[in-house]
């Protein structure tokens, strides 16, 4: 662990009632639903019964959602008054009746010849592994699979490689791929089921369909789709859940991009699809959920449907995407025969309509062209390699944990602090920041919109205080103009010249960080904590209402890098979704919606809870989800 025990030079040890017909859960993107909007992308922006510009109306909905779901010191965002444990959603979706393909399990501690050391994937492009069952298994094992089980007294719960707000895991993953021996003799669409580390083959498609879907992609490519089940988060967090679900999409994008790099592959978001087209590509039910504010209790199986989020192209490093892919896929997928019945997750539900109002307002409603990006090896982004633990990529991603509390008697070495910040830069060290090039930010097709406001507590040689890392230097002057005039905006003397880090105000900010993060001590007990400040209303004006969830994806991607970098240095991180929104802005002097804080994070030395036992990820403890599996109505059941 690269931390200094304070007071010594010794290194420390290394943490209303609605019902739907039973046929609903077995429906997917039917030929009628998909074909009806083919060629139009279901352009929701033109579909409104109100006067006024549809984009302005959507913007108004999203700004209102964001305001209403802010935490305030005397009024938190609306959520359940208590947790309804009898209806806790099953965290594992299954498609009963779909063909199941078991995937390969890999060693937790691989040899360095088979798994690169952590810094290597940022310094050089590895030789691409062929796309086969083994490499596909590794991609999923090191990105979305279970990483461990925890046990305390009579309770057990699973952890995953990709972090999630409240460990509730609303994100689902899908693979669209050419034929692979041992998986499918034809091209296929499959749902990944992490509980058993298996693929569920939802559909087998023709070679002609795959050629159309993969147009422009180099040989050996696959498509990777993400969707979200808002109910899993809203069960605990109520109306703020839409924010957290999109954090988790960003976490998952980062997890897949890093796992891809360890295979010698690249990841690029194909952002030209509309939400409807993605739903048809993944075989998701086409359902509109009521936006009645509620909360409404009852049996509302539609809340368990998945919201289509985004699609990544995964392709061999060194190759490029030659042209814009075919984003119009609804008609193509209209005659696909989907297999498997979507499992039920809860007996009863509670609907928070404002979530679905925001989701509909922020949907990308029409097919567009989109920037094609890729991550590049950037050796100059390495400030220090000597301080990394001698750990491989798999050891980092699969042993990552969220710390529950932190030990405030340690300090972080300055070079480690600077290295962690350098890994969050989109462009890499030594260049003007903004364009997405550094792994994993090359997966995003837009320039950086999020900056880090840092509350430094215990970094050796760095004065405590408030700092800002400007991740897109096109906005440095605007930020300085909007923030408090007394902020110094000076470069710390020990800071590497290539790092756009500025001191705003010096002083002890431990209590301030705790207060802003809903009075959570962990925000002050780490080496530092931070808030992710996004260009907000202007970004939506520039790129459309669909930029709202994408800002959260970017923060989640940053959070994933912070998690992994912390673990690679032998310490730990924790994402903080609970913070007082406007007090953060007040501290900075921000008075409008031009910039908003969207996600907080802290890094420090974890305090181990010795009452909790760690159990290997596979096989899962027997009978863990047997009771939940029986929650379905009729044939709507989950098999675990």
């Amino acid at each position: 662990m690269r931390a200094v025990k304070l007071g010594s030079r010794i290194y420390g040890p290394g943490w209303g009632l609605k019902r739907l017909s039973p046929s609903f859960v077995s429906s997917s993107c039917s030929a009628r639903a998909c074909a009806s909007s083919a060629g139009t992308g279901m352009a929701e922006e033109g579909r409104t019964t109100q006067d006024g510009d549809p984009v302005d109306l959507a913007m108004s909905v999203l700004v209102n959602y964001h305001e209403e779901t802010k935490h305030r010191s005397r009024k938190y965002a609306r959520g359940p008054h208590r947790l309804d444990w009898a209806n806790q959603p099953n965290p594992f979706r299954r498609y009963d009746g779909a063909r199941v393909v078991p995937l390969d399990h890999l060693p937790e501690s691989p040899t360095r010849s088979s798994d690169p050391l952590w810094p290597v994937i940022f310094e050089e492009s590895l030789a691409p592994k062929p796309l086969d069952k083994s490499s596909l298994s590794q991609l999923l094992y090191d990105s979305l699979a279970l990483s461990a089980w925890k046990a305390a007294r009579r309770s057990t719960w699973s952890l995953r490689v990709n972090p999630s707000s409240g460990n509730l895991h609303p994100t689902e993953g899908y693979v669209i791929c050419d034929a692979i021996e041992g998986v499918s003799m034809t091209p296929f669409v499959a749902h990944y089921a992490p509980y058993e580390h298996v693929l569920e083959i939802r559909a087998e498609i023709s070679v002609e369909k795959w050629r159309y879907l993969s147009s422009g992609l180099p040989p050996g490519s696959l498509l990777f789709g993400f969707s979200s089940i808002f109910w899993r988060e809203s069960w605990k967090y109520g109306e703020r859940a839409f924010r957290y679900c999109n954090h988790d999409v960003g976490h998952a994008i980062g997890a897949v991009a890093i796992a891809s790099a360890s295979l010698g592959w690249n990841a690029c978001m194909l952002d030209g699809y509309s939400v409807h087209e993605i739903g048809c590509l993944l075989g998701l039910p086409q359902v509109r959920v009521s936006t009645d504010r509620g909360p409404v209790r009852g049996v509302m199986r539609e809340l368990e449907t998945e919201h289509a989020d985004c699609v990544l192209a995964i392709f061999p490093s060194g190759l490029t995407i030659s042209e814009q892919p075919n984003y119009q896929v609804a008609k193509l997928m209209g005659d696909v025969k989907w297999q498997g019945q979507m499992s039920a997750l809860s007996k009863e539900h509670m609907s928070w309509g404002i979530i679905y109002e925001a989701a509909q307002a922020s949907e990308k409603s029409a097919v567009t062209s989109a920037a094609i990006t890729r991550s590049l090896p950037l050796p100059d982004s390495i400030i220090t390699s000597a301080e990394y633990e001698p750990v491989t990529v798999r050891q980092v991603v699969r042993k990552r944990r969220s710390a529950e509390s932190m030990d405030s008697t340690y300090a972080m070495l300055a070079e480690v602090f600077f290295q962690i910040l350098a890994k969050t830069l989109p462009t890499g060290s030594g260049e003007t920041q903004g364009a997405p090039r550094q792994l994993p930010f090359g997966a995003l097709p837009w320039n950086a919109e999020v900056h880090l406001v840092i509350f430094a507590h215990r970094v050796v040689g760095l004065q405590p205080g408030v700092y800002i890392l400007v991740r897109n230097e096109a906005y440095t002057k605007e930020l300085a103009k909007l923030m408090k005039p007394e902020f110094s905006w000076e470069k710390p003397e020990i800071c590497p010249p290539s790092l756009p880090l500025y001191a705003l105000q010096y002083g002890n900010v431990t209590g301030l960080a705790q207060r802003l993060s809903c009075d959570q001590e962990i925000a002050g007990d780490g080496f530092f904590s931070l808030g992710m400040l996004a260009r907000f209303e202007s970004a939506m004006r520039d790129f459309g209402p669909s930029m709202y969830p994408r800002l959260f994806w970017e923060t989640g991607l940053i959070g994933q890098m912070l998690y992994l970098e912390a673990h690679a240095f032998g310490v730990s991180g924790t994402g903080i979704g609970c913070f007082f929104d406007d007090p953060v802005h007040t501290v900075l002097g921000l008075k409008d919606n031009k910039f908003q804080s969207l996600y907080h994070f802290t890094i420090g030395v974890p305090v181990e809870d010795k009452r909790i036992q760690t159990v290997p990820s596979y096989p899962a403890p027997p009978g863990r989800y047997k009771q939940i599996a029986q929650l379905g109505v009729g044939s709507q059941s989950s098999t675990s």
Side-chain angles (χ1 to χ4, degrees):
M1 180 188 73
R2 300 307 183 245
V4 177
K5 183 77 170 178
L6 294 178
S8 72
R9 302 297 297 173
I10 302 174
Y11 287 98
W15 181 47
L17 189 68
K18 294 187 68 176
R19 294 183 183 272
L20 244 63
S21 66
S23 63
F24 164 76
V25 292
S26 62
S27 66
S28 289
C29 186
S30 66
R32 178 185 299 175
C34 285
S36 65
S37 61
T40 68
M42 269 187 75
E44 299 285 338
E45 292 175 0
R47 198 186 72 185
T48 176
T49 58
Q50 304 178 51
D51 294 329
D53 181 78
V55 174
D56 287 342
L57 291 172
M59 285 275 294
S60 177
V61 167
L62 293 169
V63 170
N64 178 71
Y65 169 81
H66 197 74
E67 287 295 321
E68 288 201 24
T69 57
K70 286 181 174 179
H71 284 327
R72 297 172 171 85
S73 58
R74 296 187 179 181
K75 182 183 178 183
Y76 284 73
R78 291 204 310 167
H81 297 297
R82 60 179 180 83
L83 293 181
D84 181 7
W85 292 108
N87 289 301
Q88 180 182 10
N90 189 333
F92 300 108
R93 162 130 293 161
R94 297 303 299 267
Y95 283 91
D96 300 336
R99 181 168 65 86
V100 174
V101 179
L103 296 171
D104 300 340
H105 290 257
L106 291 94
E108 294 290 337
S109 299
T111 63
R112 293 183 187 176
S113 61
S114 63
D115 188 35
L117 290 173
W118 172 251
V120 171
I121 59 173
F122 300 92
E123 298 174 301
E124 59 185 80
S125 294
L126 304 180
K129 291 189 177 181
L131 177 56
D132 53 23
K133 183 180 179 182
S134 175
S135 58
L136 181 59
S137 298
Q138 180 178 331
L139 174 67
L140 292 162
Y141 194 74
D142 290 342
S143 61
L144 303 185
L146 301 189
S147 58
W149 287 83
K150 294 288 186 177
R153 296 184 178 179
R154 296 183 179 180
S155 297
T156 58
W157 61 96
S158 62
L159 303 179
R160 300 196 200 182
V161 176
N162 56 310
S164 171
S165 305
N167 199 30
L168 297 172
H169 290 284
T171 312
E172 297 290 328
Y174 291 81
V175 173
I176 306 97
C177 190
D178 199 357
I180 293 179
E181 184 177 355
V183 178
S184 176
M185 298 300 292
T186 67
F188 63 92
V189 181
H191 170 255
Y192 177 60
Y195 183 78
E196 294 174 312
H197 187 50
V198 300
L199 285 175
E200 297 176 305
I201 306 299
R202 297 286 336 279
E204 294 181 335
I205 60 178
S206 66
V207 173
E208 290 72 25
K209 278 183 168 56
W210 171 247
R211 286 175 180 167
Y212 180 90
L213 294 173
S214 60
S215 174
L217 303 184
S221 299
L222 62 90
L223 300 177
F224 204 110
F226 295 106
S227 64
S228 296
I229 302 173
F230 302 143
W231 162 238
R232 283 194 182 133
E233 288 286 327
S234 65
W235 168 80
K236 180 176 181 179
Y237 294 116
E239 292 184 342
R240 203 168 163 99
F242 184 60
R243 298 179 177 214
Y244 300 160
C245 287
N246 286 298
H247 286 155
D248 284 354
V249 173
H251 293 148
I253 291 170
V256 170
I258 293 295
S260 297
S262 72
L263 287 159
W265 301 346
N266 221 314
C268 164
M269 185 183 296
L270 301 179
D271 208 22
Y273 294 103
S274 69
V275 164
H276 176 73
E277 303 288 330
I278 297 175
C280 289
L281 179 64
L282 306 184
L284 303 179
Q286 303 292 296
V287 175
R288 285 288 182 182
V289 177
S290 171
T291 58
D292 293 342
R293 288 301 176 94
V296 180
R297 293 181 181 273
V299 179
M300 291 168 279
R301 205 63 68 191
E302 67 269 31
L303 298 189
E304 300 184 357
T305 56
E306 300 168 30
H307 180 272
D309 292 316
C310 62
V311 175
L312 301 182
I314 311 296
F315 57 96
S317 297
L319 302 179
T320 59
I321 298 175
S322 61
E323 61 185 31
Q324 289 282 331
N326 292 313
Y327 294 123
Q328 299 277 7
V329 300
K331 185 175 181 179
L332 177 82
M333 303 299 286
D335 61 354
V336 168
K337 298 185 183 302
W338 297 97
Q339 304 299 317
Q341 195 171 58
M342 189 179 73
S343 62
L345 305 180
S346 302
K347 287 181 179 178
E348 295 184 349
H349 312 82
M350 178 181 287
S351 176
W352 304 87
I354 194 172
I355 293 174
Y356 302 93
E357 184 179 31
Q360 292 171 22
S362 63
E363 287 180 354
K364 186 168 184 179
S365 55
V367 168
T368 63
S369 60
I372 301 296
T373 59
R374 62 191 179 108
S375 297
L376 300 172
L378 299 170
D380 291 342
S381 68
I382 303 296
I383 295 173
T384 173
S385 294
E387 300 299 337
Y388 280 112
E389 297 287 321
V391 287
T392 67
V393 173
R394 179 168 308 135
Q395 289 171 322
V396 171
V397 301
R398 292 192 56 79
K399 294 184 179 179
R400 176 214 60 82
R401 303 287 185 266
S402 295
E404 298 294 331
S405 59
M406 291 180 176
D407 188 338
S408 63
T409 64
Y410 289 88
M412 173 170 273
L413 300 176
E415 55 266 38
V416 174
F417 173 71
F418 295 137
Q419 179 63 80
I420 290 175
L421 295 186
K423 284 293 186 64
T424 69
L425 295 177
T427 306
S429 299
E431 298 184 41
T432 300
Q433 294 304 315
R437 293 177 59 236
Q438 179 170 226
L439 178 70
F441 301 102
L444 301 182
W446 60 86
N447 288 354
E449 297 286 358
V450 178
H451 314 279
L452 308 186
V453 175
I454 300 162
F455 302 92
H457 307 313
R458 287 168 289 276
V459 178
V460 177
L462 190 72
Q463 291 189 59
V466 182
Y467 295 76
I468 185 168
L469 183 75
V470 181
R471 297 182 63 254
N472 187 334
E473 294 178 270
Y475 302 119
T476 305
K477 291 182 179 180
E478 182 180 2
L479 285 163
K481 182 179 178 180
L482 292 173
M483 289 184 177
K484 289 181 177 179
E486 61 265 30
F487 283 165
S488 62
W489 284 86
E490 66 181 27
K491 205 82 176 286
E493 290 185 6
I494 62 173
C495 179
S498 60
L499 200 63
L501 177 70
Y502 302 93
L504 301 181
Q505 196 166 45
Y506 297 115
N508 186 334
V509 291
T510 301
L512 175 64
Q514 292 180 5
R515 179 59 180 149
L516 293 176
S517 293
C518 296
D519 295 304
Q520 297 178 82
E521 292 182 359
I522 198 169
D525 288 344
F527 308 128
F528 65 94
S529 63
L530 59 85
M532 302 185 197
L533 190 69
R535 192 172 72 100
F536 187 69
E537 201 161 342
S538 297
M540 288 193 284
R541 290 286 178 196
D542 289 347
F543 301 110
S546 63
M547 196 63 192
Y548 182 77
R550 283 159 175 77
L551 292 174
F552 286 91
W553 299 354
E554 186 175 338
T555 64
L557 188 54
I558 295 168
Q560 179 69 352
M561 275 308 301
L562 291 170
Y563 268 122
L564 299 180
E565 277 287 290
H567 189 77
F569 282 116
V571 291
S572 191
T574 293
I576 300 174
C578 183
F579 54 87
F580 297 127
D581 299 63
D582 285 337
V584 174
H585 308 140
T586 300
V587 165
L588 300 173
L590 301 173
K591 299 178 181 179
D592 54 29
N593 282 331
K594 290 182 179 177
F595 288 87
Q596 293 282 290
S597 184
L598 302 185
Y599 190 20
H600 283 210
F601 206 92
T602 186
I603 289 178
V605 174
V607 177
E608 181 182 359
D609 189 339
K610 296 183 178 179
R611 298 171 300 175
I612 299 176
Q613 177 187 3
T614 300
V615 181
S617 53
Y618 298 104
R624 173 62 184 93
Y625 281 95
K626 182 177 180 181
Q627 183 177 4
I628 294 179
Q630 297 171 349
L631 293 181
V633 180
S635 62
Q636 305 162 15
S637 62
S638 163
T639 58
S640 302

